[in-house]
Amino acid sequence: MYRTHHCGALRSTHIDQTVTLSGWMATKRDFGGMTFIDLRDRYGITQLIFNMDTDRGLCEKARGLNREDVIKVTGKVRERSSKNPDRATGDVELVVTDLTILNRAKLPPFTIENDTDGGEDLRMKYRYLDIRRPVVQDQLRFRSKLTIEVRKYMDEQEFLEIETPVLIKSTPEGARDFVVPSRLNPGQFYALPQSPQTFKQILMVAGMDKYFQIVKCFRDEDLRADRQPEFTQIDCEMSFVNQEDILRTFEGLVVHLFEKMINVSLGEFPRMTYDEAMAKYGSDKPDLRFGMEINSFNDSAKGAGFSVFDSADLVAGIVLAGKADEYSNKNMKELTSWVQRPQIGAKGLVYVQWKNDDSIKSTIGKFYDDATLKTWIEAAGGQKGDILFILSGELDQTRKQIGELRLELGRRHDLIKPGDFKPLWVVDFPLLEWDEEMNRFHAMHHPFTAPSLNDIDKMASKDRSVLENIKADAYDLVINGSEIGGGSIRIFDRDLQSKNFELLGFTPEEAEAQFGFLMNAFEFGAPPHGGIAFGLDRLCAVMNGVSSIRDFIAFPKNNTGRDVMIDAPASIDDLQLKELNLNVVDLEKA
Ligand code: ASP
């Protein structure tokens, strides 16, 4: 027998019992006559004690152990003279009478402690050692519990968990597909699903009514910080529902998860239209943990002879409270360079400091008198002591830039309370998004999203601005500035779906070739339906107040898309290539 208890189990109720434990040797402390060992497994740490006087040979064997050796010990539980209140097993220790070395360990390349000396790359290469650290185990435990809570809630609501295939045909969801060559069908490829979108809709046509799946999705996107080429969604779909039904059902899920997982009650989620989110926060995923809403100064700023403002589509400002006296020229210069970084892309930063001595310091004092600038600050909800920051230019760009500046100032000035959660539904997304470069429309959500009932007629228009204004029954769940989920009511009518593909630039033949199966299904009694998908990894991260989703993935890829432990992707040998009808020589020539 390897163990009678695990390493987190022993309490004072076990005193005088003889028990057997197995685990990893975490730390060892040798004193004159005694050796103390911390034995670790997934459940906790137990202190072992070896005594020179009672058994010299055994104690010497213990002294010869290395960190991470796998051992089995038997002994008697006794009360500790100096208790450790920070440890669940801290009241007791095990006086060892028998020690078996089950396996030796090489010296680990970093310390296996919460506060490790190992850098990210090294830890990922030896992820099995990294995962032995209690913090990482806690994160994986959290994720496991979360998925189980999802299943409980969904089961109670009568959803069925149904698996959909991983080898499928390309589904456009805005990213590139990963493809898999088919050996049996030379020259043909499967695609890995960007999401099970079409399958879950087909399941609704099939009458399954309520579907969910905790499912891996694959997107071959250019890597950005905190993107993983494979990630997990809680994917859901329901029949005979409207947007309100979906929002209510899944608000229920999220409230349930926050309560069960972190004991936070979220209350009712506010709703905000996409237009309002863009205008007030410069983002479709506003972080509502602090204010600093964006104000337009178009009316007051234009026409004073300041050509930068006169020629701008938008003159937008945000007020930073109470910092007017604090910001030096150097601070302003630094912040100006920050907004000018290519990632933000603003041309310059205009500011108005209303100092506590009532004076105004501003970059635009030549064009506007102090009294006017004070009214601007007041109009934006500010007062004496505050700073107004202004960006201007093309509408969408300026909104995004000032939205980024808002977030940066929120971070710099600690405007975000730790442990605060601010969920909201963003609704009324546009159906279509114009792609300047490609000179065509993309689906803002995906091509299966239904236009709002009132806007269906607009789909017949040839006018770009009319088409751009079509709203969709699409919604996102945002928490603390992170997009946690998104979905839509779907088109369930063949003709409307064809029309949508046409607006997206598909010829009827292309639409038929790619999505004929779905449109055909729509002709056999498709119910009205809609759904949503949540990012499981991101939900874990947001609930724990951490920024990286990698922390909650057992084997994440690094920021160049590599698994550094197994060293993938990797080349394959010529024979394998040949079998797959992939001629590497030709590919290289091409
Ligand atoms: N398939 C969508 C996504 O992955 C979610 C949905 O519309 O249900 O974003």
Side-chain angles (χ1 to χ4, degrees):
M1 192 188 5
Y2 286 113
R3 55 188 174 186
T4 55
H5 296 77
H6 53 63
C7 296
L10 299 180
R11 302 286 184 274
S12 38
T13 49
H14 296 97
I15 287 170
D16 288 338
Q17 289 183 21
T18 297
V19 302
T20 300
L21 305 178
S22 288
W24 287 263
M25 197 206 76
T27 58
K28 183 176 60 169
R29 295 173 310 275
D30 294 327
F31 298 103
M34 294 217 261
T35 291
F36 292 93
I37 281 178
D38 277 347
L39 188 68
R40 175 191 355 94
D41 68 9
R42 200 193 93 193
Y43 306 90
I45 290 180
T46 302
Q47 175 162 294
L48 312 179
I49 180 159
F50 298 81
N51 199 323
M52 272 295 186
D53 291 339
T54 12
D55 191 337
R56 189 176 192 90
L58 186 68
C59 195
E60 267 162 9
K61 192 171 173 190
R63 286 186 177 186
L65 289 172
N66 298 320
R67 273 201 283 144
E68 301 308 314
D69 280 349
V70 185
I71 60 174
K72 179 179 108 167
V73 291
T74 299
K76 206 179 219 184
V77 183
R78 83 168 182 208
E79 185 169 11
R80 259 169 88 158
S81 51
S82 62
K83 302 199 170 33
N84 180 352
D86 297 333
R87 207 180 260 179
T89 61
D91 283 352
V92 295
E93 60 196 2
L94 190 70
V95 185
V96 177
T97 51
D98 193 36
L99 162 67
T100 311
I101 299 170
L102 299 173
N103 209 346
R104 287 283 191 182
K106 289 212 288 198
L107 185 69
F110 51 86
T111 54
I112 301 184
E113 277 158 24
N114 285 350
D115 227 343
T116 176
D117 56 357
E120 171 101 9
D121 282 353
L122 197 60
R123 286 190 289 109
M124 290 306 135
K125 178 154 189 219
Y126 297 93
R127 183 65 167 162
Y128 41 88
L129 297 179
D130 193 36
I131 293 177
R132 283 186 203 160
R133 297 190 302 128
V135 260
V136 184
Q137 299 201 340
D138 284 347
Q139 285 161 336
L140 296 183
R141 194 175 293 120
F142 185 92
R143 183 192 177 105
S144 166
K145 179 151 192 255
L146 183 79
T147 56
I148 288 165
E149 285 302 335
V150 170
R151 291 197 162 100
K152 277 196 206 156
Y153 179 89
M154 298 305 271
D155 181 48
E156 262 164 36
Q157 306 283 322
E158 296 188 273
F159 281 79
L160 299 184
E161 184 167 14
I162 302 174
E163 286 180 88
T164 53
V166 172
L167 295 175
I168 65 165
K169 197 164 71 168
S170 165
T171 313
E173 297 232 19
R176 281 193 193 85
D177 291 314
F178 281 101
V179 294
V180 180
S182 164
R183 181 180 59 85
L184 297 176
N185 302 276
Q188 296 192 324
F189 297 81
Y190 299 102
L192 303 183
Q194 294 187 34
S195 88
Q197 186 59 37
T198 50
F199 285 94
K200 66 175 175 174
Q201 291 192 240
I202 296 266
L203 285 170
M204 295 302 105
V205 181
M208 297 317 290
D209 202 65
K210 288 175 164 183
Y211 142 96
F212 87 104
Q213 183 179 193
I214 296 177
V215 62
K216 271 288 175 76
C217 301
F218 306 86
R219 296 186 188 173
D220 187 6
E221 285 171 299
D222 291 333
L223 291 150
R224 271 193 255 151
D226 209 31
R227 276 277 170 85
Q228 287 282 314
E230 53 177 302
F231 58 96
T232 305
Q233 285 190 342
I234 307 166
D235 191 45
C236 314
E237 197 77 5
M238 301 170 81
S239 293
F240 303 111
V241 287
N242 56 27
Q243 174 167 314
E244 191 57 36
D245 300 319
I246 302 248
L247 299 194
R248 258 193 285 117
T249 304
F250 293 100
E251 190 165 316
L253 169 67
V254 174
V255 165
H256 171 87
L257 295 175
F258 270 78
E259 254 165 34
K260 289 280 170 192
M261 298 300 299
I262 56 171
N263 201 16
V264 164
S265 65
L266 289 178
E268 200 172 315
F269 299 2
R271 298 184 189 179
M272 191 182 291
T273 65
Y274 170 86
D275 287 344
E276 190 184 347
M278 295 308 290
K280 284 193 179 160
Y281 299 94
S283 166
D284 58 2
K285 38 182 200 295
D287 189 337
L288 300 188
R289 286 175 297 175
F290 66 104
M292 281 180 86
E293 285 175 18
I294 300 168
N295 292 269
S296 163
F297 290 96
N298 279 9
D299 294 342
S300 36
K302 289 177 176 237
F306 183 37
S307 64
V308 173
F309 285 175
D310 288 344
S311 63
D313 293 339
L314 177 67
V315 179
I318 49 177
V319 167
L320 177 64
K323 302 283 178 200
D325 288 1
E326 210 174 280
Y327 266 63
S328 62
N329 286 341
K330 197 167 149 234
N331 292 143
M332 289 301 184
K333 249 197 165 150
E334 188 275 327
L335 198 60
T336 305
S337 326
W338 189 88
V339 298
Q340 288 172 332
R341 300 179 328 154
Q343 298 95 309
I344 308 296
K347 290 208 185 66
L349 177 66
V350 166
Y351 59 82
V352 181
Q353 283 168 280
W354 185 353
K355 304 224 169 179
N356 284 312
D357 64 8
D358 210 28
S359 67
I360 288 279
K361 179 160 185 270
S362 173
T363 40
I364 49 173
K366 260 208 287 192
F367 301 98
Y368 308 92
D369 59 35
D370 287 3
T372 305
L373 293 175
K374 286 177 188 172
T375 63
W376 289 13
I377 292 186
E378 280 167 349
Q383 57 187 3
K384 188 158 74 182
D386 297 351
I387 312 175
L388 174 65
F389 291 105
I390 301 178
L391 295 178
S392 62
E394 192 270 327
L395 181 74
D396 290 341
Q397 281 174 6
T398 306
R399 279 180 170 174
K400 280 205 183 103
Q401 291 162 355
I402 197 145
E404 292 291 341
L405 177 62
R406 172 182 174 270
L407 291 176
E408 177 67 11
L409 291 172
R411 281 189 289 265
R412 287 188 185 192
H413 296 292
D414 289 330
L415 302 180
I416 296 168
K417 258 202 288 133
D420 196 11
F421 293 100
K422 284 284 184 295
L424 81 151
W425 290 108
V426 179
V427 296
D428 291 347
F429 276 84
L431 184 70
L432 305 165
E433 187 179 27
W434 183 253
D435 183 333
E436 227 26 273
E437 239 165 70
M438 309 274 285
N439 203 34
R440 49 167 280 204
F441 277 116
H442 288 297
M444 186 97 168
H445 185 51
H446 53 52
F448 317 106
T449 294
S452 303
L453 270 183
N454 296 336
D455 283 0
I456 290 185
D457 292 346
K458 293 187 189 159
M459 290 175 83
S461 172
K462 296 268 172 281
D463 185 341
R464 197 179 114 189
S465 64
V466 174
L467 294 171
E468 266 174 331
N469 274 316
I470 301 174
K471 297 288 185 235
D473 278 344
Y475 31 80
D476 275 355
L477 175 68
V478 175
I479 302 180
N480 294 356
S482 274
E483 185 194 324
I484 295 296
S488 60
I489 296 298
R490 325 297 184 191
I491 297 171
F492 63 105
D493 169 83
R494 181 180 180 119
D495 293 339
L496 191 58
Q497 187 64 69
S498 304
K499 179 73 207 164
N500 204 31
F501 281 134
E502 186 192 316
L503 291 177
L504 295 171
F506 287 76
T507 64
E509 295 72 31
E510 284 166 346
E512 182 58 38
Q514 277 202 56
F515 301 110
F517 66 96
L518 184 66
M519 292 193 287
N520 290 340
F522 285 174
E523 291 182 309
F524 287 90
H529 60 285
I532 192 165
F534 297 94
L536 178 70
D537 317 291
R538 168 112 330 112
L539 188 57
C540 288
V542 166
M543 280 183 164
N544 286 280
V546 304
S547 57
S548 167
I549 64 171
R550 271 184 230 177
D551 292 356
F552 293 89
I553 299 175
F555 300 103
K557 308 265 186 289
N558 75 4
N559 52 14
T560 60
R562 292 200 79 77
D563 182 321
V564 293
M565 184 181 76
I566 60 171
D567 198 19
S571 42
I572 54 176
D573 66 37
D574 288 351
L575 188 68
Q576 224 176 339
L577 284 170
K578 213 169 146 207
E579 269 182 354
L580 293 169
N581 303 288
L582 296 173
N583 192 329
V584 78
V585 181
D586 282 355
L587 282 177
E588 274 172 0
K589 269 192 204 147

